[in-house]
Amino acid sequence: MSIDHSHHLDNPDKSGPPPKIDVVATVPGAPPAPEGAEAMTILVTLPPNSPGAPPHRHSGPAYGFVVKGAVNFELEGEPVRVVRAGEAFWEPGGDVIHYQDGNHLADEESAFVVTMFCAPGQPMLTVVSPEELEARRDRRAPRS
């Protein structure tokens, strides 16, 4: 069942037009945040051709929006995709490895905002060891 998330807000003081609200993305059946989670919103700015963070995972779900440029995005079991300015992404967190979040552009800066729901007492990002990457290589989508 799909829910209509469109909104129209009347502007009672009529000093100007009402806000325009566009739903950028939804995540049906999204994983719950860890109990007692800390919500953290960060801005990540990637210089031209930056590979981004090394393969890592988050302790809870993360929801993001590319504000400038284009970002290579790859989660365990999914092919690499390019998320462009104005588009959203999400990841479930937990055991899933986030392989790529680098700048897709060689000559321009890219940036994204992401809100993460971190488990209490855990860092927002944990780098995955080379040994674990090797042990789980069969879970990574084929790369072209």
Side-chain angles (χ1 to χ4, degrees), residues 4-27:
D4 180 10
H5 292 290
S6 62
H7 297 280
H8 174 77
L9 301 176
D10 290 324
N11 192 357
D13 73 5
K14 305 205 188 310
S15 64
K20 181 176 185 265
I21 299 172
D22 292 316
V23 175
V24 176
T26 63
V27 182

Side-chain angles (χ1 to χ4, degrees), residues 53-128:
H56 61 276
R57 61 173 50 99
H58 302 285
S59 61
Y63 304 88
F65 182 80
V66 177
V67 294
K68 179 167 58 169
V71 176
N72 295 323
F73 187 80
E74 180 189 5
L75 292 179
E76 189 170 57
E78 297 179 8
V80 178
R81 64 186 174 101
V82 178
V83 184
R84 300 184 187 286
E87 297 176 344
F89 60 89
W90 81 281
E91 58 184 285
D95 190 48
V96 176
I97 296 175
H98 184 169
Y99 282 97
Q100 290 188 54
D101 63 2
N103 192 344
H104 182 71
L105 307 175
D107 56 351
E108 289 180 47
E109 188 174 84
S110 291
F112 61 90
V113 173
V114 62
T115 298
M116 295 170 282
F117 295 86
C118 307
Q122 301 216 4
M124 71 167 181
L125 178 150
T126 304
V127 174
V128 178

